[in-house]
Amino acid sequence: MHLTVYKRAALGLALGAGCALALQGLGLPAAYADAPAAARQGSQVGAAEDTVARSLAASLGSADWRAQVRGAALGSAPVGLASLTAGRGAPAALAGAVTAAEQRIAAAKGLGADAGPLLRLRLGADSMRAALTPEAVPLVAVAADDDHATAVTAYDSAGRAHTLSATRTPREAVYVVDLDVDRATAAGLAQVDKALGKAGLRSAAAPAAAAAPAATGGYWTTKVDSVHLNDDEEPWPLGDAEIYSIVTGFGLDGKVRVDTVDMPYLDDDGTTYYPNQILVSWNNYKYNLADVVMMEADSDTNYAALAKALADALLTITDQGAYIPLVDAILDALPASWYTNDDDYVDSWYTLGTNSSGLLNGARGNGRMTVEPYWVAQL
């Protein structure tokens, strides 16, 4: 089940006239400087996925190929379309469509050329397994690009479009073409960290020996023992959520520091996870306080735009000799107009400290974490 979370209603900053220069200054792809981000990236991702869905639906007219796809779809996990279409018997036209679509999506999302396979195929719901008989010719749909969509378009092998309810699971088998959001988010956050480093928002960490007495070298962290996000219903075409956190504070150089933390295990709301994951490494920070903003990445997230937004908002904040909360600056920097399916604002935690422990409720009341101080010893 995909995650529905609270979106920040007040988002709405537009790209300024200096966008092209700013993007180039961050070392991001120049292609992002030539059009409004929402129109550019949203239309390209959706159109690329739609093209693949049409091509895949048309290919299912072949019984032999249809059997290969069925076997892959009945596996325990979504299957990468690049690997599926690289095998023997795959239609050449479909393989070409997948390759072109993945290149288009990687560029639109601000990912590097080495992002890896991005598109995948899955059965729309486990309840469809019984209907996926060898004789069935499933429809092919694209994962909805709106958390609140009421309808989804699917294609048949003759190229006809069908409108399905997004809130009521069909009885017949439906394949869904969607993005491998786990892979895309990991690649995207790596690009964000790289760009923020060039912008001066990721100062070098202190050596462990400088952060603690030599006899007991190491550093303090805050570890997430458990995390839970509130329950909410989701349309069947949407897959698992992809959660990441933006951790901010003042680095050792006195400038704002931003660290991204991927949380790929957080698939479902209403479920408690026990990751034992490091959230904050305190040897990176000047003060004993940091802020955390948790977000849900959607298929249309533009990581180049995210890096620029964070840099624009945070580079102007200077160290005044005392800790300044940074959550509001981050949230105000994320314009909803940049995304077709917006990154969702999950929750935020203000002034997380080196001694924070136990249950911490998010400021929006949508999430809760249990944390504890954790000493990372030097080898």
Side-chain angles (χ1 to χ4, degrees):
M1 181 171 60
H2 195 71
L3 229 63
T4 290
V5 286
Y6 298 99
K7 295 177 186 250
R8 184 169 173 84
L11 302 182
L13 296 176
L15 284 172
C19 174
L21 292 177
L23 288 174
Q24 293 170 6
L26 287 177
L28 301 173
Y32 292 97
D34 59 8
R40 173 186 63 243
Q41 184 262 345
S43 62
Q44 287 192 14
V45 172
E49 291 177 331
D50 190 75
T51 298
V52 170
R54 288 174 180 269
S55 183
L56 176 60
S59 75
L60 296 179
S62 166
D64 290 343
W65 170 244
R66 187 168 65 247
Q68 285 186 241
V69 177
R70 175 178 178 269
L74 287 174
S76 59
V79 59
L81 277 171
S83 62
L84 181 63
T85 57
R88 175 180 291 184
L94 175 60
V98 170
T99 298
E102 293 201 332
Q103 292 172 347
R104 188 177 179 185
I105 290 171
K109 290 178 64 60
L111 303 177
D114 57 349
L118 293 172
L119 288 175
R120 61 186 185 177
L121 172 74
R122 57 180 170 84
L123 193 59
D126 284 341
S127 61
M128 298 176 181
R129 286 179 171 271
L132 189 57
T133 64
E135 298 77 23
V137 183
L139 299 175
V140 181
V142 174
D145 63 356
D146 182 352
D147 286 347
H148 306 290
T150 58
V152 61
T153 300
Y155 302 100
D156 63 24
S157 59
R160 295 181 294 255
H162 301 257
T163 300
L164 306 178
S165 170
T167 57
R168 186 175 64 255
T169 304
R171 293 182 178 179
E172 67 268 28
V174 181
Y175 291 145
V176 176
V177 172
D178 70 358
L179 194 69
D180 186 338
V181 185
D182 285 354
R183 180 185 293 273
T185 301
L189 293 181
Q191 293 285 354
V192 169
D193 289 343
K194 181 179 178 180
L196 293 178
K198 290 183 177 180
L201 290 170
R202 284 179 60 83
S203 57
T216 56
Y219 57 93
W220 282 104
T221 68
T222 292
K223 180 167 67 75
V224 178
D225 292 329
S226 70
V227 57
H228 180 101
L229 302 177
N230 289 340
D231 184 52
D232 209 330
E233 286 297 318
E234 276 294 323
W236 64 268
L238 295 176
D240 290 336
E242 171 57 32
I243 300 295
Y244 65 94
S245 289
I246 301 171
V247 180
T248 57
F250 286 90
L252 301 175
D253 57 1
K255 298 179 181 178
V256 172
R257 178 185 173 91
V258 181
D259 290 289
T260 59
V261 180
D262 197 3
M263 297 177 156
Y265 51 86
L266 255 172
D267 290 335
D268 300 321
D269 49 13
T271 301
T272 301
Y273 295 87
Y274 302 90
N276 290 316
Q277 182 182 28
I278 299 300
L279 183 64
V280 186
S281 295
W282 292 106
N283 61 320
N284 291 333
Y285 293 90
K286 177 180 178 179
Y287 299 108
N288 66 340
L289 295 174
D291 292 338
V292 177
V293 176
M294 188 178 288
M295 305 288 291
E296 178 196 1
D298 286 317
S299 61
D300 285 323
T301 303
N302 184 315
Y303 292 97
L306 174 61
K308 183 199 180 297
L310 292 174
D312 283 352
L314 300 177
L315 281 173
T316 59
I317 300 175
T318 59
D319 181 12
Q320 302 296 320
Y323 182 74
I324 302 171
L326 299 169
V327 168
D328 291 346
I330 293 174
L331 295 180
D332 288 340
L334 300 174
S337 61
W338 285 7
Y339 310 100
T340 298
N341 189 12
D342 300 348
D343 258 29
D344 293 329
Y345 165 46
V346 178
D347 217 325
S348 51
W349 286 261
Y350 290 77
T351 57
L352 189 72
T354 53
N355 61 348
S356 294
S357 63
L359 178 64
L360 301 177
N361 291 310
R364 300 285 283 180
N366 189 46
R368 59 181 184 268
M369 296 189 293
T370 56
V371 302
E372 64 172 312
Y374 185 79
W375 176 258
V376 177
Q378 186 176 11
L379 290 175

